[in-house]
Amino acid sequence: MIHLKTFEEIETIKEGSKILSEILYKIKQNVKPGITTKELNDVAEKLMKENKVEPAFLNYDGFPALLCTSVNEIIVHGVPSNYKLKEGDIVSLDIGIKYKGYYSDMAITVGVGKISKEAEKLIRCTKKSLELVIQKVKAGNTFGDVGFLIQNFLEKNKLSVIKELCGHGIGKNLHEEPEILNFGERREGIKIEEGMVFCVEPMASLGSWKIKKVPDGFGWQTQDNSLSAHFEHTIAVYKNKLLNLTYFRD
């Protein structure tokens, strides 16, 4: 069942989402060659304590950290470690919080130092596919329209859409209905309605779309070890338009 949110609930999620966006912005400023992904998690912990918000991911299905740090071929749910980021890496930073009883969730992928042109294109296009959804989709469209828009844009740019992972509804729970696929057909699927709050999170790779579990049991990576990127925003349907609650300043 999809839980439609009231204006007051959306305003609360919006407040939390603004805090989350600022936290992620500050974490991003620490991404540089030589820093470990565990140190980035430490930054996230400090910022959450300063802002008096609860981590959404810590101990969720046993996940041992506050921040997902997915490097290179890791698509999502990378566990922070003593791995030192190096020039040319790309890292996806996925983070969520609970604020006044409501969750918000977002992710970005950033380059470490100078990265390849192929990696730049992967990041740019994955980010753009999410921006297109926010710009073009409105109440009355379907989640099939969302998936079609993402898939069509990424594949036109010779990138593979990760099909086995998806976005989700969000609110009092971190993951709510519906599941939001990154591929689909126009006018198919559930209709988008006023009051819905959900996370759209396109994921793409330079190689195969097929995935496998990382040995630690948490992360997912591309089967062929090709680079992958991931972007995510928490979005509300308000006044028939999509409102990006986790707007991120680059």
Side-chain angles (χ1 to χ4, degrees):
M1 180 179 177
I2 298 173
H3 298 283
L4 300 180
K5 275 68 175 182
T6 64
F7 171 77
E8 289 76 17
E9 288 178 304
I10 290 174
E11 283 297 300
T12 299
I13 299 171
K14 184 179 178 181
E15 287 176 19
S17 295
K18 184 176 180 181
I19 294 169
L20 179 62
S21 180
E22 285 300 308
I23 287 173
L24 186 53
Y25 177 81
K26 290 175 182 176
I27 295 169
K28 179 190 172 186
Q29 306 312 305
N30 288 270
V31 173
K32 59 186 177 183
I35 194 169
T36 68
T37 54
K38 184 179 182 301
E39 286 171 327
L40 292 176
N41 185 76
D42 292 341
V43 173
E45 182 176 18
K46 179 176 179 288
L47 291 168
M48 286 188 191
K49 286 179 178 177
E50 287 177 358
N51 285 277
K52 297 181 173 58
V53 294
E54 297 177 46
F57 300 164
L58 183 62
N59 298 321
Y60 186 87
D61 288 339
F63 191 77
L66 295 80
L67 176 71
C68 297
T69 54
S70 305
V71 182
N72 295 332
E73 72 276 8
I74 311 298
I75 308 161
V76 291
H77 305 162
V79 178
S81 69
N82 291 321
Y83 175 80
K84 291 184 178 181
L85 294 175
K86 62 182 186 296
E87 188 96 7
D89 282 342
I90 65 173
V91 57
S92 297
L93 306 170
D94 186 0
I95 189 168
I97 62 168
K98 187 178 183 181
Y99 170 80
K100 294 185 177 178
Y102 290 87
Y103 288 92
S104 52
D105 189 2
M106 69 182 298
I108 59 171
T109 302
V110 297
V112 182
K114 184 174 176 59
I115 61 175
S116 69
K117 289 183 179 180
E118 292 80 10
E120 284 181 354
K121 177 185 175 183
L122 172 66
I123 292 172
R124 182 178 68 253
C125 290
T126 308
K127 179 183 179 184
K128 182 64 177 179
S129 71
L130 178 52
E131 291 173 347
L132 287 173
V133 170
I134 296 166
Q135 291 165 6
K136 294 190 174 185
V137 175
K138 57 186 178 182
N141 290 136
T142 68
F143 286 110
D145 294 319
V146 171
F148 177 85
L149 192 59
I150 292 169
Q151 180 181 21
N152 186 57
F153 180 78
L154 292 175
E155 291 183 349
K156 276 186 175 179
N157 283 280
K158 311 300 183 187
L159 300 173
S160 295
V161 178
I162 305 300
K163 296 181 178 178
E164 296 180 61
L165 302 169
C166 63
H168 53 90
I170 194 167
K172 288 186 176 179
N173 299 292
L174 178 59
H175 292 111
E176 298 183 353
E177 293 182 17
E179 291 188 340
I180 303 167
L181 304 178
N182 292 314
F183 64 97
E185 297 295 333
R186 286 173 171 161
R187 295 181 291 280
E188 289 192 357
I190 296 167
K191 188 173 288 188
I192 296 170
E193 298 180 47
E194 179 98 9
M196 285 183 173
V197 181
F198 49 82
C199 296
V200 177
E201 44 184 316
M203 292 162 258
S205 82
L206 289 177
S208 172
W209 60 269
K210 294 182 179 180
I211 66 174
K212 63 181 179 181
K213 202 77 171 176
V214 173
D216 65 19
F218 293 106
W220 290 96
Q221 70 171 82
T222 52
Q223 275 192 15
D224 61 359
N225 295 321
S226 58
L227 290 182
S228 63
H230 172 213
F231 281 82
E232 175 182 15
H233 279 303
T234 297
I235 295 165
V237 186
Y238 180 65
K239 293 186 177 179
N240 294 322
K241 294 183 180 180
L242 298 196
L243 180 63
N244 180 6
L245 301 182
T246 48
Y247 173 80
F248 187 80
R249 56 191 174 103
D250 289 320

